[in-house]
Amino acid sequence: MSCTHVRIIATLSFALAAACGDASPPAAPSPSPSTPRTVDAKAPAPTVDSNAKVPVPGPADEPAGEDWLLWFDRGGQWITQWISVGPDRSTPVAERKALVLSDGTRLWVVERKDAEVDVVDCECFEREGVESGCKPSARLTTPGLHAIELGNGTELVVRAPSTERVVGGDIGLSLEVQGGVGPRLAFEWGDSGYYCGAHGSYESSFVLFDLSTGKEVEAPFAAVAEALPAEVRTTAAKEIHQLLDECEGDDGPSLQEVLSERMGLTSLHMGVAAGEPRLTWHFEAETYYACSSDYAAHGDGASGLVPGAAPLSLHVLPEGVVHALVTLRDVPTVGWARLSLFGAARQAALEAFEQAPEGPWPSGSSSERPIAAVTAVTAAGDEAGAKAKLEEGRRLTRAKDYAAAIAAYDAAIALDASLARVWSERGYAKLLMGDLAGAQADLEAALPLDDGAAFRAAVHYNLGLVAEKRGDARGARTAFETSLGLRDNEAVRKALARVK
């Protein structure tokens, strides 16, 4: 199940398949030097200094046990270890500061491949007859991903960066890796900003890309969502039910209806906590824009490796791989792959691995940058610092942490109180938090700071939402009509029909 809304059709696809690259869990080799372990089994946790430099032996003709790749994020740097897995422990073979995946026999290094595009402001774009003459006001980095097959250099586009110019303002983009098994890489991309509409736009999508097929994986959760432990689903359902209950009131669903009808599993994040695999299952339920800016109520449930995740090959790991996770202790994102390489093929793959290009991973988020070579610090204050806090507040708003978002907006206003967007965004966060008086005050304070039609239309629309939540139908109608007079928009027309 996925959540959609007027502008946004979020393709929320996520699956994790066997390390060997097929959709079913890998069968253990016979005989096997590694004993599988489910989440209920407890391995002895050795005392490990995570800061100590582990000696890496040179290539061996044959492994002491099974070969695996283990990749993880440490301090913003991707690291992939080639390890040999024995019955109850792992031995490092080689390590690269890179993100390397495998389908068992082929290896790929995954890298960011970004682009730079122009940003044109709404006011110039909307002036009839001069659209072609609009000069860019800013530049924006659009994130992309590609993979290079080690050994032959074949390039595969995982996600192409956008190369089209952007019309709007306050744009923020993101791309974050979420985990993976075998040749399948999971990542999330996000897009937020004002695209000359009635209000800000927020879009996100979780994607699972299979390097072995060169395609995205579709509809992966059908065999998993209902099979997860009851406590995982219930924890997520309670979060979703609370938001729906606060927003939809008597018309909202019961907790049981959320569990059985409203919510769907949309994504998964893989990490390591205290040496154990930690899987965070993300659920969503569709709702109104007034309840959530992305038209969805969100809830998470966490688990370790569980039998219900067998279709995703996240129910069992050899004891030696578990030992390797213990040495990691805590990492935010992790992935792994089992290798099936022997003799000369293994030697060639290991040599290619040791030549994989290394380098820093770019920031997971980007925002527009003024064309001017130097961003001026105006008499009103630190505009660049205020915009950074503005983007921080938006991220926190999307995460439903409204108190922290408002604190970020407060900091932005302290740096530069002349930015209209900061006041309007803080007002919107207060609206979502239920502080209607504070929301109205901030939205009204934003109006004199920007005379752009699109901006004023967005603010009046949000003022209409404030009045609507107060039960002031007349005030809501006036605000929605004012918004429509500034800029026609389907969402505002629907809101006006609702209060009439």
Side-chain angles (χ1 to χ4, degrees), residues 193 201 263 338-339 367-368 376 459:
S201 172
M263 78 178 197
R338 185 173 61 184
L339 303 177
S367 57
E368 61 189 90
V459 173

Side-chain angles (χ1 to χ4, degrees), residues 458-484:
V459 173
H460 281 291
Y461 173 65
N462 286 333
L463 283 169
L465 295 178
V466 172
E468 184 180 4
K469 291 183 76 70
R470 281 177 164 167
D472 180 5
R474 177 178 296 180
R477 284 196 300 272
T478 300
F480 292 145
E481 288 170 350
T482 301
S483 180
L484 280 176

Side-chain angles (χ1 to χ4, degrees), residues 3-38:
C3 299
T4 63
H5 56 76
V6 176
R7 181 181 179 276
I8 303 168
I9 302 177
T11 304
L12 297 167
S13 297
F14 190 99
L16 297 174
C20 295
D22 55 36
S24 58
S30 179
S32 170
S34 304
T35 303
R37 190 184 105 164
T38 66

Side-chain angles (χ1 to χ4, degrees), residues 92-302:
V93 177
E95 179 178 295
R96 298 298 287 173
K97 292 180 179 178
L99 179 55
V100 182
L101 283 73
S102 176
D103 64 356
T105 57
R106 293 176 292 173
L107 280 70
W108 294 268
V109 58
V110 178
E111 299 175 321
R112 284 279 295 274
K113 192 169 187 178
D114 303 343
E116 292 288 320
V117 300
D118 290 333
V119 179
V120 175
D121 66 72
C122 296
E123 286 72 15
C124 179
F125 182 79
E126 291 171 353
R127 286 197 295 271
E128 186 175 356
V130 299
E131 183 262 320
S132 60
C134 286
K135 294 183 178 180
S137 58
R139 296 282 287 171
L140 178 68
T141 300
T142 63
L145 285 175
H146 73 158
I148 304 296
E149 186 174 345
L150 297 179
N152 63 26
T154 302
E155 181 178 0
L156 179 64
V157 177
V158 179
R159 178 173 176 82
S162 173
T163 56
E164 296 182 359
R165 72 171 184 172
V166 176
V167 179
D170 300 322
I171 311 300
L173 305 178
S174 64
L175 193 155
E176 300 283 355
V177 173
Q178 302 294 306
V181 173
R184 296 186 171 184
L185 178 74
F187 60 92
E188 173 189 7
W189 61 265
D191 181 343
S192 67
Y194 282 85
Y195 293 93
C196 310
H199 49 74
S201 172
Y202 302 93
E203 182 179 2
S204 65
S205 179
F206 285 83
V207 176
L208 184 75
F209 193 93
D210 192 324
L211 300 177
S212 64
T213 64
K215 297 179 180 179
E216 293 183 18
V217 179
E218 299 181 358
F221 287 124
V224 175
E226 300 298 327
L228 292 177
E231 60 269 23
V232 172
R233 292 174 46 78
T234 302
T235 298
K238 287 180 178 178
E239 291 184 24
I240 293 172
H241 179 257
Q242 180 178 356
L243 190 150
L244 296 179
D245 185 58
E246 292 173 353
C247 182
E248 299 181 9
D250 294 338
D251 295 329
S254 65
L255 177 60
Q256 184 56 44
E257 288 172 331
V258 171
L259 273 166
S260 61
E261 301 173 18
R262 288 286 292 269
M263 78 178 197
L265 178 60
T266 57
S267 66
L268 172 66
H269 186 99
M270 297 170 57
V272 178
E276 293 284 346
R278 180 176 177 83
L279 311 177
T280 302
W281 308 90
H282 184 77
F283 295 81
E284 295 182 4
E286 189 173 348
T287 187
Y288 309 123
Y289 177 83
C291 301
S292 175
S293 59
D294 61 356
Y295 291 82
H298 305 266
D300 292 337

